[in-house]
Amino acid sequence: MNAITIVIGSICILLIAYRLYGTFIASKVLKLDQLDDKPTPAHKLEDGKDYVPTNKWVTFGHHFAAIAAAGPLVGPILAAQFGYLPGLLWLLIGAVIGGAVHDLVVLFASMRRDGKSLSEVAKEELGPVAGFCAGIAMLFIITITMAGLSLVVLSALEHNPWGTFTVGITIPIAMAVGLYHKKTGNLKLATIVGFGLILLAIIFGPNIQGTWLGDVLTLEKSTLALALPIYAFFAAALPVWLLLAPRDYLSTFMKIGVFVALILGVFYVNPAVQFPAFTEFINGGGPVIAGPVWPFVSITIACGAISGFHAFVGSGTTPKMINRWRDAKGVAFGSMLVECLVAIMALIAAVSLMPGDYFAINSTPEKFETLGMETVHLATLSEEIGMDLEGRTGGAVTLAVGMTYIFTEIPLFEKMAAYFYQFVILFEAVFILTAIDSGTRVARYLIQDFFGNFIKPLKKTDSVPANIIASAIACFFWGYLLYSGDISSVWALFGVSNQLMASIGLIVGATVVLKIADKRWYMLTCLVPLAYLYVTVNVAGYWMVKNVYLNPDNPGFNVLNGVLSIIMLTLGVIIIISSIKRWIELWKIPQAELVKQTSKEIPM
């Protein structure tokens, strides 16, 4: 098996799925074509700030940049432990049958309710109990998401002054871009200068090693675990145009450029897939993910196949930007399939490494000794890159090494391993910081909205003290999980919570489809992925609680993680029971009458 075969086959499958299944969902199930003479929320509520009719390609770019954070880069790399085939199959099947449908129906459901958040949509579609539980679940999930994504970068920057300097310098660069653009309005020059400064930082980075600054930036994991929440506090509290927006903007160029380069590199080098289709760890006991291939391949790979985190975007900024109803297909369904391709490229980068090299990076030295494996190219790569690569768990280092290995096979770049490695580390870290920026701000909004019902001053989003307090609470919650966790336990917790959120999105989507579709069996487009995902989430959650979180003999023993898992799974049960009751009520109404009532329910 070689990489080109996987890439070409995957692209063909995704294109066919978009053309056939995507058109079926958009035209037959959701009837978007029939709504094009109706105004979208962006037109109905246009205010020049949040509700702005936007070109479909610009909206696609915004939506894709928002959903494709670190998840599709890291999940497939961790899941490579099971072999190349389980992850590849789940990515393709999960994205087409589950993720793309989930993203489109959530976006559509939000647009029908004038761009409201998923918790508000759930309240109106399923009732107040389900809406309240969905709101609490979203707060838990966004908190755990921040910890899971942040944990990825710790191993990459530990004892890596070059990487820490390059990532750190992007903060003042982004702020300078934001200030210059706000003052002059010259986005083109700000972009050129900002991106140029980032490249200069990578080139200059090696010079700080061995200096006083290099010593200062040679940090332990524990120090980095404190620094990230502190950074996030300021990112959440500062004006959005000063840090969050310019960082998102600059990272989008890096995101697109790096993966276009990787695809071209794969076609040029055509690396062989070194992993078998299935490894010995499919039944569990692996050094990266302790559980068996099912349910954990579907938990480890969330973004790239199906992700509840997308619901925050699909019921947040995007529904307020859609210019025409039919644009939703390309923006939501299309973005998900493109993200799937990104995840497949990350998987290829991992499985192009020799298995011994992969497990040496993703296991502790003590654990690796018990596997009976030998490294092949790792010593050479470590020497070329200039740092010890063993025991750097979390996925970020594996992606950087895999991409470096592919790029340096090109004769022109064979002596540039260190620069490629640090650039990919920067690339990943900037994505993660971007997700932290946006996610912590969303968590702040959720905290103010939820706790503001009990503490009225906290609900004032224009209040500086309220914003500071809510930001501090958000950072403390996920910062504690980050500081006290490890990648195998926190990433699984993130996966369970994220896929539970996707289940909630599919529940809401199934309810909307039942109310508007001409044929009731169209509801299966949501119920089939929902059934699989809901069972998977509960099996994985139970396994982690029993065998890891509440097992004193397991290194991942963590009562807090166990309690959080139990609470989330309980909320999921309440929501699914509420939804079934709602479906039974709707099923009793003749379909033609239900569609007629629904058309009057939401004035367009």
Side-chain angles (χ1 to χ4, degrees), residues 99-122:
V101 174
H102 166 272
D103 289 12
L104 182 53
V105 296
V106 168
L107 176 60
F108 177 76
S110 178
M111 290 176 67
R112 288 182 72 252
R113 297 289 181 176
D114 289 335
K116 292 181 179 178
S117 69
L118 188 63
S119 63
E120 290 297 314
V121 175

Side-chain angles (χ1 to χ4, degrees), residues 139-185:
L139 185 57
F140 275 111
I141 290 163
I142 195 68
T143 301
I144 294 167
T145 298
M146 293 304 96
L149 295 179
S150 300
L151 192 60
V152 172
V153 79
L154 296 190
S155 293
L157 297 184
E158 182 187 20
H159 298 162
N160 182 5
W162 183 358
T164 303
F165 167 77
T166 308
V167 171
I169 203 69
T170 63
I171 298 172
I173 289 174
M175 294 177 71
V177 168
L179 286 167
Y180 181 80
H181 177 237
K182 185 173 181 63
K183 184 176 180 180
T184 66

Side-chain angles (χ1 to χ4, degrees), residues 426-445:
L426 168 67
F427 161 75
E428 295 177 281
V430 167
F431 273 25
I432 294 168
L433 292 178
T434 299
I436 291 172
D437 289 346
S438 303
T440 305
R441 189 174 288 268
V442 170
R444 189 194 93 193
Y445 293 153

Side-chain angles (χ1 to χ4, degrees), residues 517-593:
D518 294 328
K519 299 178 181 179
R520 281 181 166 165
W521 70 265
Y522 287 170
M523 191 181 178
L524 291 174
T525 57
C526 292
L527 290 184
V528 169
L530 171 61
Y532 172 80
L533 201 61
Y534 188 74
V535 171
T536 299
V537 164
N538 281 276
V539 171
Y542 174 78
W543 194 96
M544 289 299 295
V545 170
K546 178 184 177 182
N547 296 291
V548 179
Y549 299 142
L550 300 186
N551 179 6
D553 298 326
N554 192 287
F557 174 72
N558 190 309
V559 175
L560 177 61
N561 287 357
V563 171
L564 288 175
S565 297
I566 293 170
I567 292 174
M568 288 188 300
L569 295 177
T570 302
L571 290 172
V573 171
I574 295 172
I575 293 170
I576 197 71
I577 291 174
S578 299
S579 65
I580 291 173
K581 289 181 178 179
R582 179 61 173 157
W583 295 339
I584 293 173
E585 293 173 3
L586 295 174
W587 201 273
K588 293 177 180 178
I589 304 173
Q591 189 65 16
E593 181 63 26

Side-chain angles (χ1 to χ4, degrees), residues 177-356:
V177 168
L179 286 167
Y180 181 80
H181 177 237
K182 185 173 181 63
K183 184 176 180 180
T184 66
N186 191 336
L187 182 60
K188 183 177 181 180
L189 181 59
T191 302
I192 294 172
V193 173
F195 198 70
L197 288 173
I198 290 174
L199 293 179
L200 286 175
I202 298 172
I203 296 171
F204 178 77
N207 296 315
I208 73 164
Q209 299 184 94
T211 67
W212 68 269
L213 182 58
D215 294 339
V216 170
L217 295 178
T218 303
L219 303 176
E220 301 288 341
K221 269 188 180 181
S222 56
T223 306
L224 290 165
L226 292 173
L228 283 175
I230 292 172
Y231 157 77
F233 168 77
F234 288 101
L238 288 172
V240 68
W241 58 265
L242 182 57
L243 181 56
L244 190 148
R247 180 182 288 284
D248 281 355
Y249 179 73
L250 291 174
S251 71
T252 299
F253 285 95
M254 294 177 62
K255 185 178 301 187
I256 295 172
V258 167
F259 274 95
V260 168
L262 181 57
I263 291 173
L264 294 176
V266 166
F267 273 89
Y268 182 87
V269 176
N270 190 19
V273 173
Q274 304 293 347
F275 271 56
F278 301 96
T279 69
E280 61 189 278
F281 302 116
I282 59 171
N283 295 318
V288 183
I289 301 296
V293 65
W294 188 85
F296 283 97
V297 70
S298 301
I299 296 300
T300 305
I301 301 178
C303 303
I306 181 170
S307 170
F309 185 71
H310 296 186
F312 290 103
V313 182
S315 64
T317 53
T318 303
K320 302 176 179 67
M321 299 169 64
I322 297 289
N323 184 42
R324 302 174 63 186
W325 285 90
R326 68 173 63 185
D327 292 348
K329 173 192 169 185
V331 170
F333 204 97
S335 289
M336 182 64 243
L337 297 187
V338 174
E339 185 182 22
C340 175
L341 182 59
V342 169
I344 289 171
M345 298 309 299
L347 177 65
I348 288 173
V351 298
S352 296
L353 296 173
M354 299 300 294

